[in-house]
Amino acid sequence: MSIADTNFMSHLESFQSQLKVDKFDNAEDAEAYVRLKKFSAFLADCHLDLRKAVENIDSPVTPLGYLHLTSKTEFGLMVHWLNKWETSPPAWFSEWLVKSELHRMAFDILRYLTRDLAAIEMSEQEYQQLMAQAKSPGLVGDDGTIFGLARYEQLDPKWMVATLNYVLNLVHPADIYHPFPNSELRPIALSPKARGPEKPDNPEPVLGIIGDWGGGNYAETGRNNASVASPAMRVIEDVKKQPTDYLIHLGDTYYAGTAESRLGPDSAHEELDNLVSLWPDQGQGRNFTLNSNHEMYGAGKGIFGTALTRSEYFAAQNGASVFALEYPIRPTDGKEGQSWLVLGLDSAYYSDTRNGIKMYMEGAIGTDGFLFIDRHRKQIEMIENVCAGHQGPIMVMTHHNPCDTITAETNILYDQVCKAIGSPPSLWYWGHVHNGIVYDRMIVGKDTTSVTKSRCCGHGAVPFGPAWGLENAAVRDNIDYYAHCHDPAFADDVPRMKNGYALVTLHDDGGFTESFYEVGDTENPAYSRRWTAAEIGLA
């Protein structure tokens, strides 16, 4: 154990002792207690929202349960599991806590803080009914979230890994990778690969985009008990067959993007095992990855300490969780100096700083505090500097979504990015939501729409079902495409849609072509369109 790990352990032991007597010796631990109390309240809200959703299951046509979700249902079972596992933990959990003293103490701390939530907790009967319905025929949220028991589905008990890592961050935030890398954001020139005699070069650069892909290599049980490769491996095998010049990950490595200091139940190093080791290298300077809420659960050490520094793949980012790419537009009508600017931004690092104790679930790129200590403008200033004087379309990539999945109403992240750039971007790709969606427009305020072409591409590894909320008449005309083709690897009554990815080709006339692909077909995109420069507002 390193000196830093030993100090962390001592800090946890001291905090736990003070917690039990409800008296803190220093301001640092007192502040940690306030953060943890807020987190306990957040988990209580999550649990109540899940109970409400389950009580109002809507099954209008099929026996499949339909859940009307809020943003808080994702961690809705943590309160119940914290209570239940104190006396009857699953075997994998007991074995993990024996190996990881850090997480054992995190569990004890959180259990102590949530001990008074029994009044709101669902009964064991309610819990068993939920488990039974999750097994058959299944529960699906309006955005396609599957409330099932399989790996990475919503009721997968191993999401506790993310929760306990988050507790460690709240107790000892100094363990989070810091400071935020403050390198100058210099655009990297985009160019097609030289592919050799067997494959023709692309005339213009093709960007491969995969979101929420760090799920790792494992086998699932499919139709007729057949073994099926994990979604992440099926997606990446298809991507390898595509003529990509660059490959970009929109973030999320599961369960918590950990490095060696945060031992997981399945992996001693999730970022290495589930992302870096499985990454198909595109060549020097052609691989990029973004930070996310799940990477932040592991204190950012997986992405900053491994993927961006120890791995050669992402060396072009110089250790930073942001990047800029540029592709020139050929002069027309006497206009010169225009170019495509592609910005990969970190929407996770400052998430809680801006939005409160919410498990990094809502995106932000910094804060504009009134006091100096409340200001976190490093990334904002990097964006302002690289966009100053830029002429031409801008493409943004983030992990978090800039709008609501169903209504497409914009949020804080959208406002922050537009302000930093100086105007709405031409194109925005994000992950976080486990689906593939092409929106016609984002809704800004009551009577205003955004000019930004808006795309969710977070369906790279996590199982998801039919996003029935997108079929609502009030929003359907805003959806040009969403991934809702059943995956034939699974039985017809299993609510599994095809995972996928996207390809974007930037054109030197200022336009672009985008294609969404679903696993099993690399020849025929599920959605494809070429956009002209005029259609994205390039004069």
Side-chain angles (χ1 to χ4, degrees), residues 219-535:
E220 298 187 277
T221 301
R223 186 186 294 270
N224 299 322
N225 292 318
S227 180
V228 180
S230 67
M233 298 311 297
R234 294 171 69 195
V235 164
I236 212 62
E237 289 303 317
D238 279 8
V239 170
K240 290 177 183 178
K241 299 172 185 176
Q242 297 287 7
T244 53
D245 296 305
Y246 297 83
L247 187 58
I248 300 164
H249 183 219
L250 300 177
D252 260 9
T253 300
Y254 305 109
Y255 288 91
T258 54
E260 298 98 326
S261 61
R262 299 278 188 97
L263 176 70
D266 301 319
S267 168
H269 198 315
E270 290 177 338
E271 194 79 8
L272 184 63
D273 294 342
N274 293 346
L275 178 73
V276 176
S277 297
L278 303 177
W279 187 263
D281 185 18
Q282 303 299 299
Q284 185 175 3
R286 296 179 178 273
N287 310 279
F288 297 89
T289 191
L290 293 177
N291 195 11
S292 72
N293 55 312
H294 283 270
E295 261 85 2
M296 287 302 295
Y297 298 143
K301 291 186 175 180
I303 183 168
F304 290 107
T306 298
L308 294 175
T309 51
R310 288 165 50 188
S311 164
E312 296 180 357
Y313 296 151
F314 308 108
Q317 292 178 234
N318 293 317
S321 52
V322 297
F323 60 84
L325 313 174
E326 192 168 32
Y327 184 60
I329 295 174
R330 67 176 184 271
T332 57
D333 300 327
K335 296 178 181 178
E336 298 184 358
Q338 293 188 323
S339 63
W340 270 101
L341 180 62
V342 180
L343 298 177
L345 306 179
D346 187 337
S347 60
Y349 194 88
Y350 294 113
S351 170
D352 273 15
T353 307
R354 170 58 182 81
N355 300 310
I357 307 299
K358 298 179 180 179
M359 292 193 76
Y360 315 118
M361 290 296 289
E362 299 175 6
I365 56 171
T367 65
D368 283 308
F370 293 106
L371 300 175
F372 177 76
I373 58 173
D374 295 326
R375 291 181 180 175
H376 300 276
R377 287 187 48 82
K378 286 184 179 180
Q379 183 174 199
I380 293 172
E381 290 170 356
M382 293 164 69
I383 299 167
E384 290 172 344
N385 291 338
V386 77
C387 291
H390 173 75
Q391 299 181 56
I394 295 177
M395 176 182 184
V396 167
M397 297 187 196
T398 56
H399 175 69
H400 290 85
N401 45 307
C403 69
D404 182 83
T405 303
I406 305 300
T407 67
E409 294 174 345
T410 58
N411 56 27
I412 289 295
L413 178 61
Y414 175 87
D415 294 340
Q416 285 190 321
V417 170
C418 291
K419 182 179 179 181
I421 291 174
S423 63
S426 302
L427 176 61
W428 196 324
Y429 268 76
W430 66 86
H432 197 47
V433 177
H434 304 136
N435 213 318
I437 309 170
V438 175
Y439 296 91
D440 179 69
R441 60 199 177 276
M442 283 192 281
I443 311 301
V444 185
K446 184 177 180 181
D447 300 312
T448 307
T449 59
S450 173
V451 298
T452 305
K453 305 302 179 187
S454 315
R455 316 296 186 234
C456 174
C457 189
H459 56 332
V462 173
F464 68 101
W468 54 271
L470 298 177
E471 290 292 343
N472 187 303
V475 302
R476 188 65 184 91
D477 72 324
N478 191 32
I479 309 300
D480 292 337
Y481 159 80
Y482 73 101
H484 60 284
C485 291
H486 181 263
D487 189 339
F490 299 91
D492 293 344
D493 62 348
V494 176
R496 284 285 294 271
M497 304 299 102
K498 292 182 179 181
N499 294 83
Y501 58 96
L503 302 183
V504 173
T505 303
L506 302 180
H507 300 308
D508 65 4
D509 63 1
F512 73 96
T513 296
E514 60 182 342
S515 300
F516 275 73
Y517 288 86
E518 299 174 353
V519 290
D521 191 346
T522 58
E523 299 293 331
N524 304 292
Y527 168 88
S528 187
R529 178 168 174 177
R530 191 192 196 287
W531 297 87
T532 67
E535 287 175 316

Side-chain angles (χ1 to χ4, degrees), residues 9-25 29 33 104-105 108-109 112 171:
M9 188 79 72
S10 297
H11 186 112
L12 277 175
E13 290 172 347
S14 173
F15 179 83
Q16 195 168 10
S17 298
Q18 296 173 74
L19 177 65
K20 289 180 178 179
V21 297
D22 200 23
K23 183 178 180 180
F24 297 94
D25 299 335
D29 286 336
Y33 174 71
R104 184 195 64 76
M105 285 192 284
D108 290 345
I109 289 170
Y112 184 82
V171 175

Side-chain angles (χ1 to χ4, degrees), residues 32-45 170 356-357:
Y33 174 71
V34 171
R35 289 192 293 269
L36 286 163
K37 289 295 288 183
K38 289 180 179 179
F39 181 46
S40 176
F42 172 80
L43 290 180
D45 285 346
L170 296 179
I357 307 299

Side-chain angles (χ1 to χ4, degrees), residues 23-80:
K23 183 178 180 180
F24 297 94
D25 299 335
N26 55 73
E28 181 182 352
D29 286 336
E31 290 169 1
Y33 174 71
V34 171
R35 289 192 293 269
L36 286 163
K37 289 295 288 183
K38 289 180 179 179
F39 181 46
S40 176
F42 172 80
L43 290 180
D45 285 346
C46 291
H47 190 68
L48 288 171
D49 280 11
L50 177 60
R51 289 191 67 183
K52 182 178 180 181
V54 172
E55 289 169 0
N56 294 283
I57 289 176
D58 180 18
S59 305
V61 179
T62 72
L64 185 69
Y66 291 95
L67 290 175
H68 294 268
L69 304 182
T70 73
S71 61
K72 294 181 179 179
T73 49
E74 179 160 349
F75 295 95
L77 276 181
M78 292 301 152
V79 167
H80 186 80

